[in-house]
Every structure is written in structure tokens, then in C-alpha cells.
Amino acid sequence: MKIEILQPQGINEIGNRQNQEDSLFPSVELATADDRLFMVCDGMGGHEHGEMASQLVCNVLSEYLKEHWADDSVLSDDVLQDALDEVFRKINALDNGSMRQMGTTLTLLALHRGGVTMAHLGDSRIYHLRPSEQRILYKSRDHSLAYDLFLAGELTFDEMTHYDRKNVITRAIMPGMERQPKLDIAHTTDLQPGDYFLLCSDGLLERMDDGQLLQQLSTNSPDEDKRRQIVIETEKMRTTIRLGSYISRA
């Protein structure tokens, strides 16, 4: 399958926080329409730790896939799992006891001959949107305590968004874990011109719901304007925004 995309639009806002713990691959200034691998990682663990974890995951995964996958070939789940295993080997090597609070989420999008592969861990999210039909074709399932309680019927959707432990996640990449968490992997070959793929941290999700995201990406304006408007809208809602996001349009 031949997939062509327009220039990817990256958002990497720090707001009034002291540091940015989100990492994007490729970096916003280097992303081009020739790229076929995209990642957004939301680090956690405070100053330095979260930033170190998210950057490590982006660096190790991108280097491993560069060596073991050609983007004109199909990306297999086995290669993706091997890449994650390498990440855990590298992050465990940093574990000296004091680093165990370090961690990160992961969202990954790969475009290849077999279609599109989407993978994630944590509460950062991946969307496949089709503005021409006003539809969200795919939305990843958050690995979070709040979302688990919502699925169990113990929280309503509104209660979930205001839950005081909504930042507790059930899967992440951290050193020293007794059991390595499993990637959620999804595939699609259902692509049409004008489709969007959005990878984003919870900095965006806490300020825009699904309907607002679809509305912003459905406007009749250039992608750069859409990117700028998303930043403006989220800043209106809260000035402490710390946001990492990638928008790719087929």
C-alpha cells in the first residue's frame, strides 16, 4: 500500500511549567512528509526524570526500528515487540533505585506497505479521524484507573473527566518493573484522502473532547492554521498547558 501524507504538524507547548516532559519523534523542526514513523511520549517523575524517560523511549525505538524495519516494508508486531523489549533493557540499565519514579507513556504511529500500525501504553492517545464523514474511526483505549472504572460502570463519563485520581495510569514504561506491560496494537488499511491521525498527550485531552477535536480538524483551513487554532483553544481553557501532539494527514 502506498501512503502519501502532507506535512506533519507538531505541537510541543510548555505553557508556564518549568520543563517539558513530553518528547516527540521526529522533533517538530525536523518532521517532513517523507516520515513514516511518529511517536509522542509523555514523561512522568518530575524534573529531569520524566524528560529523560520520554526522550530515551523515542531515541531507542526510533534507532531500533531504523535498523530492523524499512518503511517500504510491512512492520510486523514481532519487530515492534522486540523494539519495546530493547527499550526496557535500556531503561532498566538506568535503574539505581532512585530512578524508579521515572516513567513515560508511549503512542506510536507507523505508515508502511501493509497499511497503518498504531501502538500505545498509558493515557496518551491515538486517533484516526475522517472529517469528510464526521467520524472518528479509531480511538485508543486509555490505560488509566479512571477509564477502567468508567468501563466497569463505576464512574460516568463526566465523573471520569473530573475524577481526583484521573492521572493514575495502569500501564507505562518504567525501570525495575516486575512484569513488562503489554502494548496495545491496532492495524488499519481503511484509508481515504483527507484522513487525519492524531497522537497526543493528556495535556490536549484534558482540554478538548472528541467532538471539539473533530470539529477543529474539519474546518476548511490549511493544516498549519488548524494546528495553531488547537493551541489557541487549549490556551483559552488553561494557561498551564503542557502539550505534546502530532497531526498527520493522508
Side-chain angles (χ1 to χ4, degrees):
M1 174 180 290
K2 184 177 181 180
I3 302 174
E4 295 183 1
I5 64 172
L6 300 183
Q7 173 64 34
Q9 301 295 323
I11 301 172
N12 199 16
E13 298 289 324
I14 192 172
N16 61 9
R17 301 287 183 91
Q18 290 186 343
N19 67 306
Q20 171 63 288
E21 292 181 279
D22 294 349
S23 292
L24 278 65
F25 178 87
S27 60
V28 173
E29 62 274 9
L30 296 179
T32 74
D34 294 325
D35 287 307
R36 292 296 178 265
L37 176 66
F38 299 91
M39 285 180 280
V40 172
C41 294
D42 184 4
M44 52 196 177
H47 183 59
E48 293 186 352
H49 286 177
E51 183 179 2
M52 182 187 301
S54 62
Q55 287 182 348
L56 181 146
V57 170
C58 282
N59 291 342
V60 174
L61 276 175
S62 60
E63 287 298 320
Y64 188 93
L65 292 176
K66 182 179 179 181
E67 294 179 10
H68 297 86
W69 166 61
D71 57 20
D72 61 348
S73 64
V74 174
L75 174 61
S76 71
D77 290 0
D78 288 341
V79 169
L80 197 53
Q81 183 59 54
D82 290 343
L84 184 66
D85 292 344
E86 180 67 12
V87 167
F88 272 97
R89 281 192 287 271
K90 291 292 179 65
I91 202 168
N92 284 334
L94 297 176
D95 182 18
N96 58 8
S98 66
M99 302 297 287
R100 292 199 176 187
Q101 62 181 318
M102 176 178 74
T104 184
T105 67
L106 165 67
T107 57
L108 178 147
L109 175 75
L111 313 173
H112 52 86
R113 192 174 63 190
V116 178
T117 296
M118 298 165 283
H120 83 290
L121 279 169
D123 63 350
S124 298
R125 197 176 291 172
I126 307 172
Y127 287 88
H128 178 191
L129 307 101
R130 183 164 292 163
S132 62
E133 299 177 4
Q134 287 296 288
R135 293 173 57 200
I136 296 176
L137 281 75
Y138 172 79
K139 178 176 74 171
S140 59
R141 176 195 181 282
D142 295 356
H143 300 140
S144 68
L145 175 61
Y147 201 78
D148 287 348
L149 292 173
F150 169 69
L151 291 178
E154 297 184 29
L155 291 177
T156 66
F157 182 81
D158 186 63
E159 288 171 338
M160 178 181 66
T161 59
H162 297 92
Y163 185 49
D164 59 0
R165 300 184 68 194
K166 65 182 179 180
N167 292 326
V168 176
I169 62 176
T170 55
R171 294 191 213 177
I173 299 174
M174 303 176 68
M177 302 182 75
E178 291 184 7
R179 185 174 180 180
Q180 182 174 314
K182 182 180 178 182
L183 271 175
D184 274 0
I185 303 176
H187 307 273
T188 186
T189 57
D190 179 13
L191 299 175
Q192 292 185 13
D195 284 4
Y196 282 92
F197 288 94
L198 169 68
L199 286 69
C200 57
S201 65
D202 62 350
L204 175 58
L205 300 173
E206 290 177 356
R207 295 159 182 84
M208 299 188 76
D209 61 27
D210 292 355
Q212 291 170 311
L213 286 172
L214 184 57
Q215 180 182 15
Q216 289 295 333
L217 294 176
S218 299
T219 60
N220 223 0
S221 54
D223 288 345
E224 171 60 28
D225 291 347
K226 293 177 182 181
R227 185 203 70 83
R228 189 179 300 112
Q229 191 59 37
I230 287 175
V231 173
I232 291 172
E233 291 300 321
T234 51
E235 285 179 341
K236 285 179 183 177
M237 300 174 196
R238 190 174 178 181
T239 58
T240 57
I241 183 172
R242 178 172 59 80
L243 173 63
S245 178
Y246 250 125
I247 306 167
S248 297
R249 182 183 180 187

